Amino acid sequence: VRLEPPGRHPVQVRIRANLSLSGETCQVAVTDITKHKLADEATAQLAAIVNSSSDAIVGKDLNSIVTSWNAGAEKLFGYSPAEMIGTPITRLIPSERQHEEAQIMSRIRKGESVEHFETVRLAKDGRRLDMSVTISPVRYAGGNIFGASKVARDITDQKLAANRLRVSEVRYRRLFEAAHDGVLLLDPATCKITEANPFMTKLLGYRRSQLVGKELFEIGLLKDKAASREMFRKLKRQHEVRYEDLPLESQGGRHQEVEVVANLYQENGSPVI
């Protein structure tokens, strides 16, 4: 029979002396506290994770009073835990958005979570921060809700980048539409036209719908399919191809000499000509 070595368990020991007519005795009570120790360790680990998070993690009661404030919240908003704990979370909310807190807490009291809610909050120095916020109810062991846990992430840079991208796209579209050069966009995988600007449709005498889906030789640019495919092969090697004095025939039969410059580049991770 194999005997396993004795296990080790954290215990709590209580010793009480008893004095009686028969003499002095000692009563020892030993309680296994393994579960308590594991719970304490799990709580300590969770606290360490919360405090080391770069996101702002904030606890508040059902009256929106801050009960916990991690290092991420201090770094993001500029307030120390001593400045925030015991004060209303509404001090971080701009005046025009104060109604949001009442709406959020109404949902929390019903046991609902609020996920990835985009809003604006105020830092200590007055800066307005674009935030993505997730708020969840916090419950007692019996299930009753006593507060809320909020995780807030600063998306200010992300929003600025998205705005810059939108501005860039608008500018590109305006240049594309107003350019006095014919511009075509092509799909390198199919060698077919995906977009044409107004000047190109005027130059060729086609409507845009007649150009999209066609290859270059089909619209009178490049003499045949072989020449079109050769251009695509060069583009894959060189990323730029230039043709001077290339004959172009419009839909109406008008002949003219044009210069063609083709570039291969990436747009949203996909190759475009």
Side-chain angles (χ1 to χ4, degrees):
V1 178
R2 181 184 176 189
L3 297 178
E4 296 291 338
R8 292 176 176 267
H9 301 278
V11 296
Q12 183 181 66
V13 180
R14 293 186 179 90
I15 304 174
R16 186 174 66 179
N18 295 320
L19 196 61
S20 65
L21 293 175
S22 60
E24 187 176 358
T25 61
C26 185
Q27 182 180 0
V28 179
V30 180
T31 305
D32 187 347
I33 58 170
T34 302
K35 291 182 179 180
H36 296 292
K37 291 285 287 183
L38 291 174
D40 289 344
E41 290 172 4
T43 300
Q45 185 180 35
L46 179 60
I49 292 170
V50 168
N51 204 46
S52 63
S53 174
S54 58
D55 290 335
I57 302 178
V58 179
K60 57 185 178 181
D61 65 18
L62 294 178
N63 295 315
S64 298
I65 302 299
V66 177
T67 57
S68 65
W69 187 261
N70 77 332
E74 181 175 5
K75 183 178 180 181
L76 181 60
F77 294 106
Y79 292 100
S80 68
E83 291 176 293
M84 285 302 301
I85 292 176
T87 68
I89 195 71
T90 50
R91 68 192 295 188
L92 303 178
I93 304 177
S95 58
E96 74 277 7
R97 290 179 175 266
Q98 287 286 322
H99 63 281
E100 292 178 353
E101 182 63 13
Q103 294 171 352
I104 289 169
M105 294 312 297
S106 174
R107 293 182 60 179
I108 291 296
R109 291 186 184 94
K110 296 175 184 176
E112 301 175 3
S113 294
V114 180
E115 297 185 359
H116 308 300
F117 173 61
E118 291 194 7
T119 185
V120 177
R121 294 294 181 259
L122 297 175
K124 184 178 181 179
D125 59 10
R127 286 178 299 120
R128 294 172 68 91
L129 305 172
D130 290 300
M131 310 293 300
S132 175
V133 180
T134 296
I135 309 104
S136 303
V138 179
R139 304 172 186 269
Y140 289 116
N144 291 334
I145 298 167
F146 67 89
S149 173
K150 178 171 75 173
V151 179
R153 176 167 295 177
D154 184 1
I155 58 171
T156 303
D157 290 342
Q158 179 182 329
K159 295 278 279 189
L160 287 173
N163 287 335
R164 284 195 293 267
L165 179 60
R166 280 194 290 271
V167 170
S168 177
E169 288 174 343
V170 169
R171 287 175 178 170
Y172 166 78
R173 174 54 62 177
R174 287 174 178 169
L175 288 171
F176 181 80
E177 297 289 346
H180 287 278
D181 287 313
V183 183
L184 296 172
L185 299 182
L186 297 98
D187 181 355
T190 63
C191 306
K192 292 182 178 180
I193 298 167
T194 59
E195 187 59 275
N197 74 334
F199 191 87
M200 194 68 177
T201 61
K202 181 180 179 181
L203 188 68
L204 292 170
Y206 289 96
R207 295 190 304 275
R208 175 188 170 279
S209 59
Q210 292 176 301
L211 293 174
V212 172
K214 296 285 197 308
E215 291 195 44
L216 294 180
F217 71 91
E218 296 180 278
I219 62 168
L221 189 63
L222 300 175
K223 62 181 180 179
D224 54 29
K225 189 171 186 176
S228 180
R229 296 302 168 91
E230 177 58 26
M231 187 199 77
F232 278 84
R233 283 192 289 270
K234 285 183 179 180
L235 271 173
K236 288 181 180 179
R237 293 194 307 267
Q238 304 171 14
H239 290 245
E240 181 178 335
V241 173
R242 181 183 296 269
Y243 296 94
E244 295 181 0
D245 301 328
L246 197 68
L248 175 69
E249 182 180 353
S250 70
Q251 188 182 35
R254 179 174 170 236
H255 292 268
Q256 51 194 319
E257 302 268 322
V258 297
E259 178 187 53
V260 175
V261 179
N263 294 279
L264 178 65
Y265 66 98
Q266 295 287 320
E267 184 179 90
N268 297 325
S270 300
V272 175
I273 295 171

